[in-house]
Amino acid sequence: MEREKNWKKVLYINQCFPDNYVQTSFLHEMEKNVNIKTYQYWNIVKETGMITQQLCSVCLFVVLFIYMDSGLLDPNYLILILVCIVLVCYASRSIIEKKGKYKGRDIQTMLIFLTLAFGLSPVLQTLTETISTDTIYAMTIKVTFIECISICICLPSL
C-alpha cells in the first residue's frame, strides 16, 4: 500500500517503480466505449445507396459523353430514350403515391424545361461549334470533378 501512495501517473518523472507498473485502481477507473456511436443497419444501407446513386450518375454521364463523342450514340436517340424513361418513372410514381394535386404543376414544369431546352439548343449548338475539342474535354472533366466533390450528402446517421 505504501508503494501505491508514492506512485504518480506521470511519464517524465523517474520513479522507483518498473515501467509496466499499474496501480490496483486502474481497472476501476478505466472507462470503456465512452464516445461510441451506434448505427442502424438499414439507415446505413439507405445512405450508402444515395452515395452509390450519385457516383453511378457521374459514371453514366461519362459513358454517354464518350459514346456520343465517338459517334456510337445519336443525341436524338438518347433524348428519346430518356423521355420514355422519365414518362414511365413519373407514371409509376403517380400510381404508387396516388396524389393528383401536383400533376398539373409537374406537367407545367416539364413543358417549360422541354421548351427551353429545345428552343435554346440551336443557339447553344451554334455557339459551341467554334470551341475546340480539347476545351470541351477539359470542361467536361472539370465539371465532372466539381460534381463529384460538391455532392450534397446530408446523411442523418453521420
Side-chain angles (χ1 to χ4, degrees):
M1 279 298 184
E2 184 66 32
R3 187 174 174 171
E4 289 184 11
K5 289 183 181 178
N6 294 332
W7 182 78
K8 295 179 183 175
K9 196 188 260 186
V10 180
L11 292 175
Y12 58 86
I13 295 177
N14 267 341
Q15 299 182 40
C16 61
F17 301 101
D19 289 339
N20 61 354
Y21 175 75
V22 178
Q23 228 174 359
T24 56
S25 63
F26 173 75
L27 289 177
H28 300 292
E29 294 174 0
M30 187 170 70
E31 297 176 5
K32 286 184 174 180
N33 300 332
V34 176
N35 297 324
I36 194 166
K37 185 174 181 183
T38 58
Y39 297 100
Q40 297 295 322
Y41 177 75
W42 290 111
N43 288 342
I44 298 298
V45 169
K46 179 183 170 188
E47 292 162 2
T48 305
M50 291 167 50
I51 296 170
T52 305
Q53 180 183 8
Q54 289 294 329
L55 293 175
C56 287
S57 65
V58 169
C59 291
L60 183 64
F61 170 77
V62 170
V63 168
L64 290 175
F65 176 79
I66 291 170
Y67 270 59
M68 286 193 310
D69 188 50
S70 63
L72 296 173
L73 180 64
D74 184 34
N76 295 325
Y77 185 66
L78 177 64
I79 289 175
L80 179 67
I81 291 172
L82 290 177
V83 167
C84 291
I85 290 172
V86 166
L87 290 175
V88 168
C89 291
Y90 182 75
S92 63
R93 189 189 111 204
S94 297
I95 291 170
I96 291 171
E97 291 183 0
K98 296 181 181 177
K99 293 182 181 177
K101 61 182 178 179
Y102 297 114
K103 287 184 182 176
R105 198 166 59 184
D106 290 343
I107 292 172
Q108 180 184 6
T109 304
M110 180 186 68
L111 288 175
I112 289 171
F113 277 113
L114 286 175
T115 304
L116 285 173
F118 284 115
L120 292 176
S121 63
V123 174
L124 293 174
Q125 185 176 4
T126 306
L127 289 174
T128 56
E129 281 179 353
T130 59
I131 298 175
S132 65
T133 308
D134 58 343
T135 306
I136 293 174
Y137 290 146
M139 286 174 39
T140 304
I141 292 170
K142 187 177 181 180
V143 169
T144 304
F145 180 72
I146 290 171
E147 165 69 19
C148 287
I149 63 171
S150 67
I151 294 172
C152 177
I153 302 175
C154 306
L155 304 177
S157 291
L158 299 178

